[in-house]
Amino acid sequence: MKKEGKKCSDAPTCSVDYAFRRIGGKYKGRILWALHENTILRYGELGRNLADITTKMLTQTLKEMEKDKLINRKVYHQVPPKVEYSLSEIGKELIPFINYLKEWGDKKMGRI
Amino acid sequence: MKKEGKKCSDAPTCSVDYAFRRIGGKYKGRILWALHENTILRYGELGRNLADITTKMLTQTLKEMEKDKLINRKVYHQVPPKVEYSLSEIGKELIPFINYLKEWGDKKMGRI
DNA sequence: CTGTATCCCGGGTGATACTG
DNA sequence: CAGTATCACCCGGGATACAG
């Protein structure tokens, strides 16, 4: 029967929809931006950079972005553990656009 | 006691956050794009353009976007009623970014 | 035609505790 | 340090009916 639940896993209706699903979310934009400004950040550094994020959301969001090939994840097998995150080539493609959005936000925040 | 619920009405943490709250959501990007391609659309035309949206979400989203000054709303007082929506100047500022995102989505959709 | 008004559900998100 | 695990909550969003 399947019943076709209207989940977000349904096929995107168009490329704008598709793109928004990959960078939408509550934190993805800010993570992309943080990695753009710092090149490489460790898990904890990212957490401090976002300030209001929980470990659950940070982990979850990073996993999604890694699966979508937006970021790279490099693990150092040592004690204590160390994991570095950085932008992938695909992730870098999104920076001009995040940058545009940031400047737009800066302008509008001032005058509203 | 207030208890400070962590609602989305909290102040944005940065300009990227600020911008994402205005164009995030499930339909805003597609509405901006539809209005960019068609210049002016009526309520029903927008609904057909989105295809899977309900009247509730369409109305709600349009109201938010109007409040945020992203779109213009022009009412014709006649029977039957007629309402036209179009991009505001601020809304038009976002088109390059939506456009960039759309092209990115087009490319990625093909190769995944 | 252009919306309003309800009801309701799922899951996205938060808080907290715990592990290797 | 870098995550998992669990519980609980809220609200984004869907379905449906109705109104001006």
Side-chain angles (χ1 to χ4, degrees):
Chain A
M1 278 307 179
K2 291 294 292 178
K3 192 57 179 51
E4 285 308 329
K6 304 299 168 34
K7 329 191 74 170
C8 74
S9 54
D10 289 350
T13 60
C14 68
S15 51
V16 174
D17 190 24
Y18 172 89
F20 262 77
R21 294 198 196 178
R22 260 138 205 85
I23 62 144
K26 193 169 180 179
Y27 301 105
K28 291 186 181 178
R30 282 193 274 164
I31 288 178
L32 287 172
W33 187 251
L35 289 177
H36 168 61
E37 285 194 313
N38 299 278
T39 311
I40 293 180
L41 284 176
R42 299 179 57 173
Y43 182 87
E45 292 172 330
L46 265 172
R48 263 166 265 125
N49 206 295
L50 279 282
D52 59 335
I53 198 173
T54 60
T55 61
K56 177 188 170 183
M57 286 315 296
L58 181 54
T59 301
Q60 181 177 310
T61 306
L62 288 172
K63 274 184 178 165
E64 287 177 20
M65 295 174 71
E66 190 194 357
K67 188 154 60 69
D68 286 342
K69 310 291 186 192
L70 298 182
I71 59 176
N72 300 312
R73 180 171 183 271
K74 178 165 187 181
V75 182
Y76 294 83
H77 292 286
Q78 59 186 43
V79 180
K82 175 180 172 183
V83 181
E84 290 179 344
Y85 293 91
S86 57
L87 291 176
S88 69
E89 289 308 311
I90 294 180
K92 288 178 186 169
E93 291 176 16
L94 292 169
I95 292 304
F97 125 96
I98 297 281
N99 189 38
Y100 187 98
L101 204 52
K102 183 185 186 316
E103 289 178 359
W104 182 85
D106 279 334
K107 280 195 310 183
K108 299 313 170 194
M109 283 187 75
R111 72 181 60 171
I112 286 187
Chain B
M1 276 309 175
K2 295 292 291 176
K3 194 56 180 48
E4 286 308 330
K6 306 295 167 36
K7 328 192 74 171
C8 76
S9 54
D10 290 349
T13 60
C14 68
S15 51
V16 174
D17 190 26
Y18 172 90
F20 264 77
R21 294 199 196 179
R22 260 138 207 84
I23 61 146
K26 192 170 179 178
Y27 300 106
K28 291 185 181 177
R30 282 193 274 165
I31 288 178
L32 287 172
W33 187 250
L35 288 176
H36 168 61
E37 286 194 312
N38 299 279
T39 311
I40 292 181
L41 284 175
R42 299 179 59 174
Y43 181 86
E45 291 173 331
L46 265 172
R48 262 165 266 124
N49 206 295
L50 277 285
D52 59 335
I53 198 172
T54 60
T55 61
K56 177 189 171 184
M57 286 315 296
L58 182 54
T59 302
Q60 179 178 309
T61 307
L62 288 171
K63 275 185 178 164
E64 288 177 19
M65 294 174 73
E66 190 194 357
K67 188 154 61 66
D68 287 343
K69 310 291 185 191
L70 298 182
I71 58 176
N72 300 311
R73 180 171 183 270
K74 178 166 187 180
V75 182
Y76 294 83
H77 292 286
Q78 60 185 43
V79 180
K82 175 179 172 184
V83 181
E84 290 179 344
Y85 294 91
S86 58
L87 291 177
S88 70
E89 289 308 310
I90 294 180
K92 287 178 186 169
E93 291 176 16
L94 291 169
I95 292 304
F97 142 90
I98 298 282
N99 189 36
Y100 188 97
L101 203 53
K102 184 187 186 313
E103 289 178 359
W104 181 85
D106 279 335
K107 278 196 311 185
K108 298 313 169 194
M109 283 187 75
R111 71 181 62 171
I112 287 185

